[in-house]
């Protein structure tokens, strides 16, 4: 869910792991994030310029995010190789993603990325949702169904 605190969660988790002397390999997959509060080992923004994708493809903000991630997913095998090289140095890989749920529910990039990771490494997915925006039973159930996907 957009704006629910995923980036803050990743920052706190990375800081905790650093504090435990177990530095994670951190990846940012959100092409539209303005400021990362943590150092990323891989950052989608180094490869793609979100605003340029929006402009060239004549897309709005959500379409720009989805298309940027779709383009990045075509090279995710390179990301997998970098993760594999770091396996001995980093016990954990922590990935920050965009909040647009459509990236993972109907876009090819979400399936490519999650399947590549899950087929190669023990994986845990954390679905972060803003509980204050989920007080309506319909919104809450919608979030629960997305979390089960």
């Amino acid at each position: 869910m957009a704006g629910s605190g995923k980036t803050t969660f990743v920052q706190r988790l990375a800081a905790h792991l650093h504090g435990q002397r177990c530095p994670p390999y951190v990846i940012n997959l959100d092409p539209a994030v303005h400021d990362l509060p943590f150092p990323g080992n891989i950052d989608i923004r180094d490869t793609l310029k979100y605003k340029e994708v929006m402009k060239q493809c004549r897309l709005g903000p959500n379409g720009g995010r989805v298309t940027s991630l779709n383009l990045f997913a075509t090279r995710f095998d390179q990301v997998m190789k970098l993760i594999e090289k770091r396996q001995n140095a980093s016990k954990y890989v922590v990935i920050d993603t965009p909040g647009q749920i459509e990236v993972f529910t109907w876009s090819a990039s979400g399936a490519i990325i999650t399947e590549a990771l899950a087929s190669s490494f023990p994986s845990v997915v954390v679905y972060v949702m803003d509980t204050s925006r989920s007080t309506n039973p319909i919104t809450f159930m919608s979030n629960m169904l997305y979390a089960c996907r």
Side-chain angles (χ1 to χ4, degrees), residues 83-113:
I83 294 171
E84 288 168 5
K85 284 182 187 176
R86 295 288 305 197
Q87 269 185 308
N88 293 330
S90 297
K91 186 175 179 182
Y92 299 102
V93 176
V94 180
I95 303 173
D96 192 16
T97 63
Q100 288 61 35
I101 194 69
E102 52 269 22
V103 169
F104 294 96
T105 55
W106 59 263
S107 176
S109 59
I112 290 167
I113 292 167

PDB file of all heavy atoms in Angstrom, residues 83-113:
ATOM      1  N   ILE A  83      23.329 -10.530  -6.450  1.00  0.00           N
ATOM      2  CA  ILE A  83      22.932 -11.076  -5.144  1.00  0.00           C
ATOM      3  C   ILE A  83      23.711 -12.360  -4.860  1.00  0.00           C
ATOM      4  O   ILE A  83      24.214 -12.560  -3.754  1.00  0.00           O
ATOM      5  CB  ILE A  83      21.407 -11.342  -5.089  1.00  0.00           C
ATOM      6  CG1 ILE A  83      20.629 -10.023  -5.166  1.00  0.00           C
ATOM      7  CG2 ILE A  83      21.037 -12.107  -3.820  1.00  0.00           C
ATOM      8  CD1 ILE A  83      19.127 -10.213  -5.338  1.00  0.00           C
ATOM      9  N   GLU A  84      23.805 -13.233  -5.859  1.00  0.00           N
ATOM     10  CA  GLU A  84      24.529 -14.495  -5.677  1.00  0.00           C
ATOM     11  C   GLU A  84      25.991 -14.256  -5.322  1.00  0.00           C
ATOM     12  O   GLU A  84      26.551 -14.951  -4.481  1.00  0.00           O
ATOM     13  CB  GLU A  84      24.414 -15.346  -6.946  1.00  0.00           C
ATOM     14  CG  GLU A  84      23.030 -15.938  -7.135  1.00  0.00           C
ATOM     15  CD  GLU A  84      22.805 -16.530  -8.520  1.00  0.00           C
ATOM     16  OE1 GLU A  84      23.749 -16.570  -9.334  1.00  0.00           O
ATOM     17  OE2 GLU A  84      21.663 -16.946  -8.792  1.00  0.00           O
ATOM     18  N   LYS A  85      26.610 -13.250  -5.930  1.00  0.00           N
ATOM     19  CA  LYS A  85      28.010 -12.930  -5.623  1.00  0.00           C
ATOM     20  C   LYS A  85      28.186 -12.463  -4.180  1.00  0.00           C
ATOM     21  O   LYS A  85      29.244 -12.651  -3.593  1.00  0.00           O
ATOM     22  CB  LYS A  85      28.525 -11.828  -6.557  1.00  0.00           C
ATOM     23  CG  LYS A  85      28.827 -12.288  -7.946  1.00  0.00           C
ATOM     24  CD  LYS A  85      29.365 -11.126  -8.765  1.00  0.00           C
ATOM     25  CE  LYS A  85      29.516 -11.517 -10.221  1.00  0.00           C
ATOM     26  NZ  LYS A  85      29.935 -10.382 -11.051  1.00  0.00           N
ATOM     27  N   ARG A  86      27.139 -11.844  -3.624  1.00  0.00           N
ATOM     28  CA  ARG A  86      27.211 -11.292  -2.266  1.00  0.00           C
ATOM     29  C   ARG A  86      26.713 -12.251  -1.185  1.00  0.00           C
ATOM     30  O   ARG A  86      26.681 -11.888  -0.022  1.00  0.00           O
ATOM     31  CB  ARG A  86      26.400  -9.999  -2.195  1.00  0.00           C
ATOM     32  CG  ARG A  86      26.921  -8.877  -3.034  1.00  0.00           C
ATOM     33  CD  ARG A  86      28.160  -8.315  -2.460  1.00  0.00           C
ATOM     34  NE  ARG A  86      27.895  -7.935  -1.071  1.00  0.00           N
ATOM     35  CZ  ARG A  86      28.631  -7.142  -0.362  1.00  0.00           C
ATOM     36  NH1 ARG A  86      29.710  -6.648  -0.865  1.00  0.00           N
ATOM     37  NH2 ARG A  86      28.321  -6.853   0.889  1.00  0.00           N
ATOM     38  N   GLN A  87      26.344 -13.461  -1.568  1.00  0.00           N
ATOM     39  CA  GLN A  87      25.773 -14.407  -0.612  1.00  0.00           C
ATOM     40  C   GLN A  87      26.657 -14.645   0.611  1.00  0.00           C
ATOM     41  O   GLN A  87      26.157 -14.758   1.715  1.00  0.00           O
ATOM     42  CB  GLN A  87      25.483 -15.745  -1.285  1.00  0.00           C
ATOM     43  CG  GLN A  87      24.101 -15.828  -1.855  1.00  0.00           C
ATOM     44  CD  GLN A  87      23.823 -17.210  -2.400  1.00  0.00           C
ATOM     45  OE1 GLN A  87      24.599 -17.736  -3.191  1.00  0.00           O
ATOM     46  NE2 GLN A  87      22.725 -17.795  -1.989  1.00  0.00           N
ATOM     47  N   ASN A  88      27.953 -14.727   0.410  1.00  0.00           N
ATOM     48  CA  ASN A  88      28.849 -14.999   1.537  1.00  0.00           C
ATOM     49  C   ASN A  88      29.032 -13.774   2.430  1.00  0.00           C
ATOM     50  O   ASN A  88      29.278 -13.909   3.624  1.00  0.00           O
ATOM     51  CB  ASN A  88      30.205 -15.493   1.040  1.00  0.00           C
ATOM     52  CG  ASN A  88      30.085 -16.854   0.375  1.00  0.00           C
ATOM     53  OD1 ASN A  88      29.224 -17.653   0.724  1.00  0.00           O
ATOM     54  ND2 ASN A  88      30.931 -17.109  -0.602  1.00  0.00           N
ATOM     55  N   ALA A  89      28.930 -12.573   1.860  1.00  0.00           N
ATOM     56  CA  ALA A  89      29.143 -11.342   2.624  1.00  0.00           C
ATOM     57  C   ALA A  89      27.875 -10.847   3.315  1.00  0.00           C
ATOM     58  O   ALA A  89      27.949 -10.199   4.359  1.00  0.00           O
ATOM     59  CB  ALA A  89      29.684 -10.252   1.704  1.00  0.00           C
ATOM     60  N   SER A  90      26.720 -11.118   2.732  1.00  0.00           N
ATOM     61  CA  SER A  90      25.451 -10.644   3.286  1.00  0.00           C
ATOM     62  C   SER A  90      24.497 -11.815   3.457  1.00  0.00           C
ATOM     63  O   SER A  90      24.146 -12.480   2.488  1.00  0.00           O
ATOM     64  CB  SER A  90      24.816  -9.602   2.365  1.00  0.00           C
ATOM     65  OG  SER A  90      25.618  -8.462   2.261  1.00  0.00           O
ATOM     66  N   LYS A  91      24.081 -12.014   4.690  1.00  0.00           N
ATOM     67  CA  LYS A  91      23.162 -13.109   4.983  1.00  0.00           C
ATOM     68  C   LYS A  91      21.734 -12.789   4.517  1.00  0.00           C
ATOM     69  O   LYS A  91      20.969 -13.684   4.190  1.00  0.00           O
ATOM     70  CB  LYS A  91      23.176 -13.372   6.493  1.00  0.00           C
ATOM     71  CG  LYS A  91      22.384 -14.560   6.929  1.00  0.00           C
ATOM     72  CD  LYS A  91      22.554 -14.807   8.421  1.00  0.00           C
ATOM     73  CE  LYS A  91      21.736 -15.990   8.880  1.00  0.00           C
ATOM     74  NZ  LYS A  91      21.858 -16.209  10.323  1.00  0.00           N
ATOM     75  N   TYR A  92      21.413 -11.480   4.485  1.00  0.00           N
ATOM     76  CA  TYR A  92      20.055 -11.059   4.139  1.00  0.00           C
ATOM     77  C   TYR A  92      20.065 -10.084   2.965  1.00  0.00           C
ATOM     78  O   TYR A  92      20.952  -9.248   2.855  1.00  0.00           O
ATOM     79  CB  TYR A  92      19.374 -10.367   5.328  1.00  0.00           C
ATOM     80  CG  TYR A  92      19.241 -11.255   6.531  1.00  0.00           C
ATOM     81  CD1 TYR A  92      20.119 -11.132   7.607  1.00  0.00           C
ATOM     82  CD2 TYR A  92      18.250 -12.228   6.590  1.00  0.00           C
ATOM     83  CE1 TYR A  92      20.005 -11.961   8.713  1.00  0.00           C
ATOM     84  CE2 TYR A  92      18.133 -13.059   7.693  1.00  0.00           C
ATOM     85  CZ  TYR A  92      19.016 -12.917   8.752  1.00  0.00           C
ATOM     86  OH  TYR A  92      18.894 -13.734   9.838  1.00  0.00           O
ATOM     87  N   VAL A  93      19.035 -10.195   2.137  1.00  0.00           N
ATOM     88  CA  VAL A  93      18.773  -9.226   1.076  1.00  0.00           C
ATOM     89  C   VAL A  93      17.443  -8.576   1.440  1.00  0.00           C
ATOM     90  O   VAL A  93      16.454  -9.267   1.680  1.00  0.00           O
ATOM     91  CB  VAL A  93      18.668  -9.906  -0.309  1.00  0.00           C
ATOM     92  CG1 VAL A  93      18.296  -8.894  -1.373  1.00  0.00           C
ATOM     93  CG2 VAL A  93      19.958 -10.615  -0.656  1.00  0.00           C
ATOM     94  N   VAL A  94      17.433  -7.261   1.511  1.00  0.00           N
ATOM     95  CA  VAL A  94      16.225  -6.515   1.861  1.00  0.00           C
ATOM     96  C   VAL A  94      15.860  -5.651   0.662  1.00  0.00           C
ATOM     97  O   VAL A  94      16.700  -4.913   0.150  1.00  0.00           O
ATOM     98  CB  VAL A  94      16.455  -5.644   3.117  1.00  0.00           C
ATOM     99  CG1 VAL A  94      15.190  -4.878   3.471  1.00  0.00           C
ATOM    100  CG2 VAL A  94      16.907  -6.497   4.297  1.00  0.00           C
ATOM    101  N   ILE A  95      14.619  -5.766   0.218  1.00  0.00           N
ATOM    102  CA  ILE A  95      14.187  -5.079  -1.000  1.00  0.00           C
ATOM    103  C   ILE A  95      13.021  -4.156  -0.686  1.00  0.00           C
ATOM    104  O   ILE A  95      12.013  -4.576  -0.123  1.00  0.00           O
ATOM    105  CB  ILE A  95      13.783  -6.106  -2.082  1.00  0.00           C
ATOM    106  CG1 ILE A  95      14.957  -7.046  -2.374  1.00  0.00           C
ATOM    107  CG2 ILE A  95      13.314  -5.392  -3.343  1.00  0.00           C
ATOM    108  CD1 ILE A  95      14.621  -8.192  -3.288  1.00  0.00           C
ATOM    109  N   ASP A  96      13.178  -2.901  -1.081  1.00  0.00           N
ATOM    110  CA  ASP A  96      12.100  -1.918  -0.963  1.00  0.00           C
ATOM    111  C   ASP A  96      11.407  -1.834  -2.318  1.00  0.00           C
ATOM    112  O   ASP A  96      12.068  -1.741  -3.354  1.00  0.00           O
ATOM    113  CB  ASP A  96      12.675  -0.554  -0.572  1.00  0.00           C
ATOM    114  CG  ASP A  96      11.597   0.435  -0.144  1.00  0.00           C
ATOM    115  OD1 ASP A  96      10.464   0.012   0.149  1.00  0.00           O
ATOM    116  OD2 ASP A  96      11.899   1.642  -0.104  1.00  0.00           O
ATOM    117  N   THR A  97      10.093  -1.880  -2.308  1.00  0.00           N
ATOM    118  CA  THR A  97       9.325  -1.892  -3.558  1.00  0.00           C
ATOM    119  C   THR A  97       8.387  -0.691  -3.630  1.00  0.00           C
ATOM    120  O   THR A  97       8.098  -0.059  -2.618  1.00  0.00           O
ATOM    121  CB  THR A  97       8.467  -3.175  -3.660  1.00  0.00           C
ATOM    122  OG1 THR A  97       7.516  -3.172  -2.593  1.00  0.00           O
ATOM    123  CG2 THR A  97       9.321  -4.417  -3.610  1.00  0.00           C
ATOM    124  N   PRO A  98       7.872  -0.397  -4.822  1.00  0.00           N
ATOM    125  CA  PRO A  98       6.856   0.654  -4.918  1.00  0.00           C
ATOM    126  C   PRO A  98       5.579   0.207  -4.208  1.00  0.00           C
ATOM    127  O   PRO A  98       5.327  -0.985  -4.051  1.00  0.00           O
ATOM    128  CB  PRO A  98       6.605   0.799  -6.419  1.00  0.00           C
ATOM    129  CG  PRO A  98       7.495  -0.152  -7.111  1.00  0.00           C
ATOM    130  CD  PRO A  98       8.206  -0.965  -6.101  1.00  0.00           C
ATOM    131  N   GLY A  99       4.788   1.182  -3.797  1.00  0.00           N
ATOM    132  CA  GLY A  99       3.549   0.863  -3.081  1.00  0.00           C
ATOM    133  C   GLY A  99       2.373   0.540  -3.970  1.00  0.00           C
ATOM    134  O   GLY A  99       1.323   0.168  -3.471  1.00  0.00           O
ATOM    135  N   GLN A 100       2.535   0.682  -5.256  1.00  0.00           N
ATOM    136  CA  GLN A 100       1.416   0.424  -6.156  1.00  0.00           C
ATOM    137  C   GLN A 100       1.222  -1.086  -6.280  1.00  0.00           C
ATOM    138  O   GLN A 100       2.028  -1.772  -6.894  1.00  0.00           O
ATOM    139  CB  GLN A 100       1.677   1.047  -7.535  1.00  0.00           C
ATOM    140  CG  GLN A 100       1.583   2.550  -7.548  1.00  0.00           C
ATOM    141  CD  GLN A 100       2.592   3.242  -6.645  1.00  0.00           C
ATOM    142  OE1 GLN A 100       3.702   2.783  -6.490  1.00  0.00           O
ATOM    143  NE2 GLN A 100       2.180   4.343  -6.043  1.00  0.00           N
ATOM    144  N   ILE A 101       0.143  -1.571  -5.709  1.00  0.00           N
ATOM    145  CA  ILE A 101      -0.113  -3.006  -5.640  1.00  0.00           C
ATOM    146  C   ILE A 101      -0.234  -3.628  -7.036  1.00  0.00           C
ATOM    147  O   ILE A 101       0.064  -4.804  -7.225  1.00  0.00           O
ATOM    148  CB  ILE A 101      -1.362  -3.303  -4.774  1.00  0.00           C
ATOM    149  CG1 ILE A 101      -1.443  -4.777  -4.406  1.00  0.00           C
ATOM    150  CG2 ILE A 101      -2.635  -2.829  -5.460  1.00  0.00           C
ATOM    151  CD1 ILE A 101      -0.382  -5.248  -3.455  1.00  0.00           C
ATOM    152  N   GLU A 102      -0.611  -2.818  -8.026  1.00  0.00           N
ATOM    153  CA  GLU A 102      -0.760  -3.375  -9.379  1.00  0.00           C
ATOM    154  C   GLU A 102       0.549  -3.918  -9.937  1.00  0.00           C
ATOM    155  O   GLU A 102       0.541  -4.788 -10.795  1.00  0.00           O
ATOM    156  CB  GLU A 102      -1.388  -2.369 -10.347  1.00  0.00           C
ATOM    157  CG  GLU A 102      -0.739  -1.024 -10.419  1.00  0.00           C
ATOM    158  CD  GLU A 102      -1.317  -0.004  -9.448  1.00  0.00           C
ATOM    159  OE1 GLU A 102      -1.919  -0.381  -8.444  1.00  0.00           O
ATOM    160  OE2 GLU A 102      -1.139   1.195  -9.710  1.00  0.00           O
ATOM    161  N   VAL A 103       1.675  -3.434  -9.422  1.00  0.00           N
ATOM    162  CA  VAL A 103       2.975  -3.953  -9.859  1.00  0.00           C
ATOM    163  C   VAL A 103       3.062  -5.455  -9.562  1.00  0.00           C
ATOM    164  O   VAL A 103       3.630  -6.220 -10.339  1.00  0.00           O
ATOM    165  CB  VAL A 103       4.128  -3.203  -9.161  1.00  0.00           C
ATOM    166  CG1 VAL A 103       5.457  -3.883  -9.394  1.00  0.00           C
ATOM    167  CG2 VAL A 103       4.181  -1.760  -9.635  1.00  0.00           C
ATOM    168  N   PHE A 104       2.472  -5.876  -8.454  1.00  0.00           N
ATOM    169  CA  PHE A 104       2.588  -7.274  -8.061  1.00  0.00           C
ATOM    170  C   PHE A 104       1.324  -8.091  -8.301  1.00  0.00           C
ATOM    171  O   PHE A 104       1.349  -9.306  -8.189  1.00  0.00           O
ATOM    172  CB  PHE A 104       3.000  -7.366  -6.590  1.00  0.00           C
ATOM    173  CG  PHE A 104       4.385  -6.818  -6.388  1.00  0.00           C
ATOM    174  CD1 PHE A 104       4.577  -5.523  -5.986  1.00  0.00           C
ATOM    175  CD2 PHE A 104       5.492  -7.606  -6.678  1.00  0.00           C
ATOM    176  CE1 PHE A 104       5.860  -5.007  -5.852  1.00  0.00           C
ATOM    177  CE2 PHE A 104       6.772  -7.109  -6.547  1.00  0.00           C
ATOM    178  CZ  PHE A 104       6.957  -5.793  -6.135  1.00  0.00           C
ATOM    179  N   THR A 105       0.218  -7.445  -8.655  1.00  0.00           N
ATOM    180  CA  THR A 105      -1.006  -8.213  -8.873  1.00  0.00           C
ATOM    181  C   THR A 105      -1.278  -8.500 -10.341  1.00  0.00           C
ATOM    182  O   THR A 105      -1.780  -9.561 -10.669  1.00  0.00           O
ATOM    183  CB  THR A 105      -2.228  -7.501  -8.260  1.00  0.00           C
ATOM    184  OG1 THR A 105      -2.315  -6.185  -8.788  1.00  0.00           O
ATOM    185  CG2 THR A 105      -2.136  -7.468  -6.757  1.00  0.00           C
ATOM    186  N   TRP A 106      -0.968  -7.547 -11.231  1.00  0.00           N
ATOM    187  CA  TRP A 106      -1.265  -7.827 -12.633  1.00  0.00           C
ATOM    188  C   TRP A 106      -0.132  -7.503 -13.582  1.00  0.00           C
ATOM    189  O   TRP A 106      -0.260  -7.691 -14.784  1.00  0.00           O
ATOM    190  CB  TRP A 106      -2.546  -7.134 -13.091  1.00  0.00           C
ATOM    191  CG  TRP A 106      -2.571  -5.643 -12.968  1.00  0.00           C
ATOM    192  CD1 TRP A 106      -3.121  -4.932 -11.952  1.00  0.00           C
ATOM    193  CD2 TRP A 106      -2.035  -4.678 -13.887  1.00  0.00           C
ATOM    194  NE1 TRP A 106      -2.950  -3.582 -12.180  1.00  0.00           N
ATOM    195  CE2 TRP A 106      -2.280  -3.399 -13.363  1.00  0.00           C
ATOM    196  CE3 TRP A 106      -1.351  -4.769 -15.092  1.00  0.00           C
ATOM    197  CZ2 TRP A 106      -1.891  -2.225 -13.992  1.00  0.00           C
ATOM    198  CZ3 TRP A 106      -0.949  -3.598 -15.729  1.00  0.00           C
ATOM    199  CH2 TRP A 106      -1.234  -2.344 -15.175  1.00  0.00           C
ATOM    200  N   SER A 107       0.977  -7.036 -13.085  1.00  0.00           N
ATOM    201  CA  SER A 107       2.097  -6.704 -13.958  1.00  0.00           C
ATOM    202  C   SER A 107       3.095  -7.859 -14.023  1.00  0.00           C
ATOM    203  O   SER A 107       3.351  -8.528 -13.020  1.00  0.00           O
ATOM    204  CB  SER A 107       2.792  -5.452 -13.429  1.00  0.00           C
ATOM    205  OG  SER A 107       3.932  -5.170 -14.198  1.00  0.00           O
ATOM    206  N   ALA A 108       3.661  -8.055 -15.185  1.00  0.00           N
ATOM    207  CA  ALA A 108       4.632  -9.143 -15.379  1.00  0.00           C
ATOM    208  C   ALA A 108       5.860  -8.972 -14.492  1.00  0.00           C
ATOM    209  O   ALA A 108       6.428  -9.956 -14.011  1.00  0.00           O
ATOM    210  CB  ALA A 108       5.054  -9.207 -16.846  1.00  0.00           C
ATOM    211  N   SER A 109       6.263  -7.740 -14.241  1.00  0.00           N
ATOM    212  CA  SER A 109       7.493  -7.514 -13.462  1.00  0.00           C
ATOM    213  C   SER A 109       7.398  -8.082 -12.055  1.00  0.00           C
ATOM    214  O   SER A 109       8.363  -8.657 -11.541  1.00  0.00           O
ATOM    215  CB  SER A 109       7.833  -6.027 -13.410  1.00  0.00           C
ATOM    216  OG  SER A 109       6.791  -5.287 -12.821  1.00  0.00           O
ATOM    217  N   GLY A 110       6.256  -7.929 -11.422  1.00  0.00           N
ATOM    218  CA  GLY A 110       6.108  -8.461 -10.071  1.00  0.00           C
ATOM    219  C   GLY A 110       6.303  -9.963 -10.031  1.00  0.00           C
ATOM    220  O   GLY A 110       7.001 -10.499  -9.176  1.00  0.00           O
ATOM    221  N   ALA A 111       5.703 -10.650 -10.992  1.00  0.00           N
ATOM    222  CA  ALA A 111       5.851 -12.111 -11.058  1.00  0.00           C
ATOM    223  C   ALA A 111       7.288 -12.508 -11.380  1.00  0.00           C
ATOM    224  O   ALA A 111       7.835 -13.433 -10.771  1.00  0.00           O
ATOM    225  CB  ALA A 111       4.898 -12.683 -12.109  1.00  0.00           C
ATOM    226  N   ILE A 112       7.918 -11.808 -12.310  1.00  0.00           N
ATOM    227  CA  ILE A 112       9.302 -12.126 -12.680  1.00  0.00           C
ATOM    228  C   ILE A 112      10.224 -11.976 -11.471  1.00  0.00           C
ATOM    229  O   ILE A 112      11.026 -12.863 -11.176  1.00  0.00           O
ATOM    230  CB  ILE A 112       9.771 -11.224 -13.847  1.00  0.00           C
ATOM    231  CG1 ILE A 112       9.046 -11.603 -15.134  1.00  0.00           C
ATOM    232  CG2 ILE A 112      11.284 -11.299 -14.029  1.00  0.00           C
ATOM    233  CD1 ILE A 112       9.195 -10.582 -16.255  1.00  0.00           C
ATOM    234  N   ILE A 113      10.087 -10.864 -10.779  1.00  0.00           N
ATOM    235  CA  ILE A 113      10.969 -10.580  -9.640  1.00  0.00           C
ATOM    236  C   ILE A 113      10.729 -11.544  -8.491  1.00  0.00           C
ATOM    237  O   ILE A 113      11.666 -12.146  -7.962  1.00  0.00           O
ATOM    238  CB  ILE A 113      10.802  -9.115  -9.202  1.00  0.00           C
ATOM    239  CG1 ILE A 113      11.364  -8.193 -10.293  1.00  0.00           C
ATOM    240  CG2 ILE A 113      11.469  -8.855  -7.861  1.00  0.00           C
ATOM    241  CD1 ILE A 113      10.992  -6.733 -10.144  1.00  0.00           C
TER     242      ILE A 113
END
